[in-house]
Amino acid sequence: MRILVITGAGISAESGTPTFRGKDGYWRNFDPTNLATPKPFARDQNLVWEWYCERRHQIREAKPNSAHDAIARLSISAREFLLVTQNVDDLHARAGLAKEKMVQIHGDIFVTRCSRCDFSRIEPEQEHSPSVTPARSDSAASEKLDRFKRASLKDEEYAEVPRCPACAALMRPGVVWFGEQLDTKKIEIVENYLNRGSCDLVLVIGTTALFGYIVDWALRARGENGELIEINPDETPLSSLATKCIREPAAIALPQLISKL
Ligand code: NAD
Ligand code: ZN
């Protein structure tokens, strides 16, 4: 079978990582759908970084659930397979899904990247704060940082807000915030997969399907004859276009569904 799977925050809900719009979505008094935008970061980087550090910690503590496991099994048995996930967590990978069979279309929460240049890095397992300590021996970068520090930052702020070791601009989480453009290289991977032919099966799991490109990819992948199955306890804009809707949590529905394929 040729398969496309699209997942959203709902597939990780049963691993204990809350969805944005669910009942546990709020962080302190903030609505995550407002926090995950460029505006709050421009106003208060400490606050936004604190939120992301907590989420990183929460994700590291979480384990893949039986829905992530079932998708990893499906990826092995399928003739052709691609997962497009809106999730920034690493639970699909930790369930055993090969990196080359998935696209994290909204980025990766464990990546920290510069808001100005191309510098990025993957955060190590043991991360206590997102602070960047400049390599003092790297003279050009550290001079730039020192100049920047003297010019605009108090010492305690400098210790908390990560700065790029290459250009001293603010570092930010490597995720796509609401209103930002998707990475064109990642779009290309999805488009190439769709252009090579339609799918026998499209699964759309745990997403509100509010982004037009998600609905578009799901419908194009299904083509004329493919099956489009939505797995979500709630109705979404995609429901009426699906060939079948399973109104159950993903960790219950998916292992059953996949064992029957
Ligand atoms: P969302 O929070 O808007 O919606 C989650 C969807 O999952 C809802 O439709 C809900 O009905 C459904 N759902 C809830 N529990 C479920 C379960 N047990 N099984 C199946 N479905 C369930 O999430 P979204 O549509 O993915 O969009 C929000 C954005 O937030 C995404 O772009 C994503 O990048 C980001 N996000 C990521 C994570 C993560 O990586 N784990 C978590 C929260 C938000
Ligand atoms: Zn930089």
Side-chain angles (χ1 to χ4, degrees), residues 7-14 17-22 32-33 36 51 55 59 65 67-68 85-91 104-107 109 175-176 178 205-211 213 230-236 246 248-252:
T7 62
I11 194 167
S12 297
E14 282 151 285
T17 62
T19 62
F20 276 0
R21 298 176 179 89
T33 57
W51 181 50
R55 288 182 63 208
I59 291 166
N65 64 51
H68 298 104
T85 184
Q86 296 166 86
N87 294 348
V88 296
D89 66 42
D90 59 354
L91 296 176
Q104 280 186 292
I105 200 75
H106 291 164
I109 197 167
V175 303
V176 179
F178 293 109
I205 307 156
T207 176
T208 41
L210 290 178
F211 301 114
Y213 47 86
E230 177 180 70
I231 297 165
N232 195 316
D234 293 335
E235 200 173 317
T236 78
I246 305 178
E248 276 180 332
I252 293 172

Side-chain angles (χ1 to χ4, degrees), residues 114-119 164-171:
C114 179
S115 54
R116 185 195 292 152
C117 76
D118 286 341
F119 181 85
C164 176
C167 79
L170 285 168
M171 295 286 272

Side-chain angles (χ1 to χ4, degrees), residues 119-252:
F119 181 85
S120 74
R121 62 155 185 268
I122 297 173
E123 292 300 342
E125 283 274 313
Q126 293 307 319
E127 177 207 5
H128 300 292
S129 83
S131 65
V132 168
T133 314
R136 291 287 156 195
S137 54
D138 176 352
S139 54
S142 79
E143 253 173 50
K144 239 186 211 175
L145 276 166
D146 282 339
R147 263 204 320 277
F148 194 90
K149 184 180 164 188
R150 280 196 301 276
S152 59
L153 285 171
K154 290 187 234 116
D155 275 15
E156 62 272 24
E157 284 175 334
Y158 178 74
E160 285 168 20
V161 181
R163 291 270 163 190
C164 176
C167 79
L170 285 168
M171 295 286 272
R172 53 165 287 176
V175 303
V176 179
W177 281 325
F178 293 109
E180 291 185 320
Q181 299 290 314
L182 301 180
D183 180 340
T184 49
K185 288 196 201 85
K186 292 184 177 179
I187 295 179
E188 219 172 280
I189 297 171
V190 183
E191 290 290 335
N192 285 345
Y193 188 72
L194 297 185
N195 290 341
R196 282 205 304 275
S198 53
C199 294
D200 308 293
L201 176 65
V202 182
L203 299 177
V204 182
I205 307 156
T207 176
T208 41
L210 290 178
F211 301 114
Y213 47 86
I214 293 296
V215 176
D216 178 52
W217 286 336
L219 294 179
R220 276 170 55 206
R222 181 186 67 176
E224 298 281 302
N225 303 312
E227 196 170 359
L228 170 55
I229 304 180
E230 177 180 70
I231 297 165
N232 195 316
D234 293 335
E235 200 173 317
T236 78
L238 201 64
S239 302
S240 61
L241 304 166
T243 47
K244 184 177 177 184
C245 295
I246 305 178
R247 298 266 168 256
E248 276 180 332
I252 293 172

Side-chain angles (χ1 to χ4, degrees), residues 90-107:
D90 59 354
L91 296 176
H92 283 296
R94 280 202 270 142
L97 185 65
K99 286 256 157 76
E100 61 275 12
K101 289 188 181 178
M102 76 172 155
V103 180
Q104 280 186 292
I105 200 75
H106 291 164

